[in-house]
Amino acid sequence: MSGDPAFSSTLPPVASRHRTIAFTSGKGGVGKSNLVLNTGLALARRGRRVTILDGDLGLASINVLLGMAPRYDLRHVLSGERALRDIVLHGPYGLAVIPAGSGIAQLANLGEDDRETLLGQVGAIAETSDYLLIDTGAGISDTVLNLVAASDEAIVVTRPEPTALADAYALIKLIVQHEPAYPFHLLINMVRDAGQAAQVFRSLQEILVRFLGYQPGDAGFVVTDARVGQGVVQQVPFTILAPQSAAARGVDALADRILGLGGRNETAQGGFWARLTRWGGAT
């Protein structure tokens, strides 16, 4: 992942339908929310229409990283106080953010009429986006697994640490047991250099192949960079604060990879929101 990203005519055309990509991790503290936000910004800079759903329940990570304090979130939509369009935050480059609060976890308890009303509103917003990125939160709760399984594909963020790798394996295993062909892509964050990233990827890849017969995709890596922490403190995304930094170059390369990745067939699967309501009992 070195060099400047390619722009304009070398990129694939805008997708004919929106794609939903979950960013997930088995363990907290791997930098996932920061990567979701900055990847969304990188895609938006390339002319893509991007919406981020903050599914990191109760932590409000995305809006904090943007320095935004939403008055309303998905809980207010579920209660009928606000329409979904009223809670959408608008960030740089036209990026849209849906602050979820605890709303996603409440979907399973909605009555059929209320659920259809909410999903209709979400679907209308999703249809205006080329990419819907989901920040699932860490761990292997039912909510996390449901969001991952309902997405077209998932990027599993991990770091060079035994517990992070073990938890990433556990998360992938739970989904692959239900859907062996689910497209997971490994993103190694907070690495020293490309060599370390390759070593970590190979180690986790070998375990997945040996015990699950599963071959993960390679989403690349992002190096440890002081500018990332500076961005968090200043509440300015690091790809804006320091667009030529090493971490920003890694995210730019990830965005280019996403533009070339192919997820599950949307028509065959029925769409993100349909899958979300179907998969709830599988975990």
Side-chain angles (χ1 to χ4, degrees), residues 89-169:
L89 305 175
H90 299 284
Y93 309 113
L95 180 72
V97 176
I98 300 175
S102 61
I104 291 294
Q106 296 173 24
L107 276 178
N109 299 321
L110 288 180
E112 184 176 351
D113 291 343
D114 290 338
R115 184 166 58 205
E116 288 300 319
T117 298
L118 175 63
L119 298 185
Q121 294 184 63
V122 176
I125 288 181
E127 287 175 2
T128 67
S129 299
D130 300 308
Y131 292 94
L132 175 63
L133 307 183
I134 313 290
D135 182 7
T136 70
I140 53 175
S141 68
D142 283 352
T143 299
V144 170
L145 296 175
N146 289 339
L147 289 171
V148 171
S151 300
D152 293 317
E153 57 205 295
I155 292 175
V156 179
V157 181
T158 189
R159 58 180 296 182
E161 175 186 302
T163 55
L165 296 172
D167 290 346
Y169 170 82

Side-chain angles (χ1 to χ4, degrees), residues 211-228:
F211 294 104
L212 301 179
Y214 181 82
Q215 178 65 56
D218 184 358
F221 66 92
V222 177
V223 300
T224 300
D225 190 331
R227 293 301 189 114
V228 175

Side-chain angles (χ1 to χ4, degrees), residues 4-75:
D4 295 330
F7 287 92
S8 66
S9 61
T10 62
L11 293 177
V14 174
S16 58
R17 63 163 180 83
H18 75 265
R19 282 167 52 203
T20 302
I21 304 174
F23 280 66
T24 190
S25 63
K27 182 179 185 297
V30 298
K32 171 180 53 58
S33 295
N34 220 340
L35 290 177
V36 175
L37 172 59
N38 283 279
T39 301
L41 290 171
L43 289 168
R45 283 203 316 272
R46 289 156 168 75
R48 272 50 176 185
R49 300 166 299 175
V50 182
T51 299
I52 295 178
L53 173 61
D54 191 345
D56 202 348
L57 306 182
L59 298 179
S61 302
I62 301 298
N63 60 273
V64 170
L65 291 169
L66 281 169
M68 296 179 171
R71 185 174 179 181
Y72 304 105
D73 58 38
L74 198 53
R75 290 170 295 182

